[in-house]
Structures are given as C-alpha cells and as structure tokens.
Amino acid sequence: MADATKVVSAVDKTYADIQSVKTRMTGVTGTLNQLKVAVATALPADASKGQQINVGFVRQELTKAKEAVAKFKEMVREAAENGGAAAGGLPNARRQMKDDKTRTLYERVGGDLNIETGVEIMFNKMLQDSRVRSYFEKNQRKMQQMRKKFFQFISGFFGGPALYDANNIKPAHYHMNITDYHFDALLDVFQASFLELGVHPDATKDAIAACGKIRKDVTTGCTVRMELAQKNMEKGKDGLFKR
C-alpha cells in the first residue's frame, strides 16, 4: 500500500510539473506572437511613410523570451528525471482519479490555464489540418484575435467567466461556408488537443458534447445558402451548371 501511495504521489507531482511547463510554454508562445504582431505592424508597405520599429523594445522582449525558453527546457528536464521513472506503470492514474462530475465543465477541464493552453494546441493542429486550415490561416494579428475570442467563448461556455457574448456565434459565422464536415473536423481537433493536454477523457467527452450544441449556429449560413441554391436549381432558376 505504501508503494502504491508513493506511485500516486509521484504521478501527482509529475502531472503538476507538466501543467506548470505547459503554462510557461503558453506564455512564451504568447510573447513571441506579440513580437511578431508588433514587428509586422511596424513594417511599412512604403518605407517613407511607415513608423520606426522600437529596436530596443524588441531586443528586450526577445531576451525575456529566450530566458523563458531556457527555464522551460530546464523544467522539462527536471520533470523527466524526477517523475518519469516513478510514474512508469500508471501513466493514466492521475486522469482516472480526478474527474469530478459534480463540478462545472470549466473546472473539470482545468480552468483558464488549461483552456488557454488547449486553444494554443488546437490552433497549431488546425493550421496543419487540410480540412480546416483555410479558416484559420490568416495574418498574425487576425490569428491572435481568433485565439483570444475562441478562448473567451470556451471559458464562458464551460461555466467560467463570461467574456464573450454567445449570441455573436451565429452572425460571426453566417457568411462562412462552414459545413458539418468542417465542424466535425474541428471537434476532432478539439478532442485530440485536450486529451494531449491531459484532460480526463470523460471531461473531454462532455466538452465535445457541449460544443456540439452550437453546431447549428456555426453552420446555419452555409446550410441556408445550399438550400436556396437547391430550390433555385429545382425551379430552373439556377443556370450555373447548365451546359
């Protein structure tokens, strides 16, 4: 029994170390993205009309980012050395023990830190996924705005602070040609990202089910246009495909 307790304690410590590492990694990513936006904004199309880049500020922020990356690497090394071996036979013990369905979904997935990190993982995956990449591959400023809004919506939708008005979901997506195929792809990426993050499988499953409730709001615009096109074609008013 004592050995089992030690193993569970080791798993708990390793899990905490990993969460700390992921949080720091998210901070580093955010800093680098801010630098990209700052530099991209300062670079003018016409050098004679553009503003000057604050070189000192950029250097200072890059130095901070490098220091953060160094600390991040050290944390990864320590977590691997101190926790990896002890946790050996029970890789999922922490996840299996900690899902409390009496708590809000926001709490079950790990709160803001996990949601923010999960969104970062999701965006990295979506930019590599041919099914949805075109919806997310924008300029740096736009992608940063999308990340922020996605995080704010998920956080509030799961029971956390209400930072995004859910009534904006339908109008924001109405002009996009998002089908059920694309929405299902997004849910696939969401599931893979939060499981990779270490969120309990049951909490991840319930999160997917919750997100499924906004399917109609996200796909309505495309559905309406497809139905109108079908009706016009049946009435002979749509000559797009006529020879």
Side-chain angles (χ1 to χ4, degrees), residues 15 92-101 105 107-110 114 191 194-207:
Y15 179 85
N92 293 318
R94 183 63 166 76
R95 280 195 246 177
Q96 300 300 330
M97 292 171 54
K98 297 297 182 179
D99 186 41
D100 182 356
K101 294 191 177 183
L105 192 52
E107 294 172 311
R108 290 170 62 196
V109 300
N114 264 16
Q191 182 178 38
F194 277 73
L195 288 176
E196 180 179 320
L197 182 59
V199 174
H200 193 285
D202 288 346
T204 301
K205 180 180 178 181
D206 289 345

Side-chain angles (χ1 to χ4, degrees), residues 2 36-38 57 79 86 88 91 100 135 144 169 189 239:
K36 287 181 180 179
V37 172
F57 169 77
D100 182 356
Y135 293 103
Q144 195 63 20
I169 291 292
V189 175

Side-chain angles (χ1 to χ4, degrees), residues 58-175:
V58 173
R59 285 178 177 171
Q60 181 181 0
E61 292 302 308
L62 281 174
T63 299
K64 290 180 181 179
K66 288 180 180 179
E67 291 175 353
V69 169
K71 291 179 181 179
F72 163 71
K73 289 180 179 179
E74 181 64 19
M75 291 177 71
V76 172
R77 185 188 64 77
E78 290 180 358
E81 290 180 354
N82 298 333
L90 296 171
N92 293 318
R94 183 63 166 76
R95 280 195 246 177
Q96 300 300 330
M97 292 171 54
K98 297 297 182 179
D99 186 41
D100 182 356
K101 294 191 177 183
T102 64
R103 304 174 73 185
T104 65
L105 192 52
Y106 170 81
E107 294 172 311
R108 290 170 62 196
V109 300
D112 277 351
L113 290 178
N114 264 16
I115 293 173
E116 186 174 7
T117 305
V119 168
E120 286 292 334
I121 296 173
M122 281 185 65
F123 264 79
N124 288 336
K125 289 182 180 294
M126 288 186 292
L127 291 175
Q128 302 299 321
D129 193 318
S130 61
R131 297 173 296 176
V132 293
R133 184 174 61 230
S134 61
Y135 293 103
F136 298 93
E137 194 173 41
K138 311 297 181 182
N139 62 60
Q140 289 296 329
R141 177 178 291 180
K142 180 65 175 179
M143 288 194 292
Q144 195 63 20
Q145 291 175 345
M146 292 167 67
R147 283 181 172 91
K148 180 179 179 181
K149 289 180 180 180
F150 201 94
F151 159 72
Q152 289 177 336
F153 168 71
I154 291 295
S155 180
F157 192 63
F158 286 177
L163 302 173
Y164 183 85
D165 186 356
N167 291 325
N168 290 330
I169 291 292
K170 183 182 287 187
H173 296 85
Y174 193 84
H175 67 288

Side-chain angles (χ1 to χ4, degrees), residues 40-65:
T41 302
L43 287 175
D46 183 347
S48 64
K49 297 179 181 179
Q51 56 184 332
Q52 293 294 322
I53 299 176
N54 189 333
V55 177
F57 169 77
V58 173
R59 285 178 177 171
Q60 181 181 0
E61 292 302 308
L62 281 174
T63 299
K64 290 180 181 179

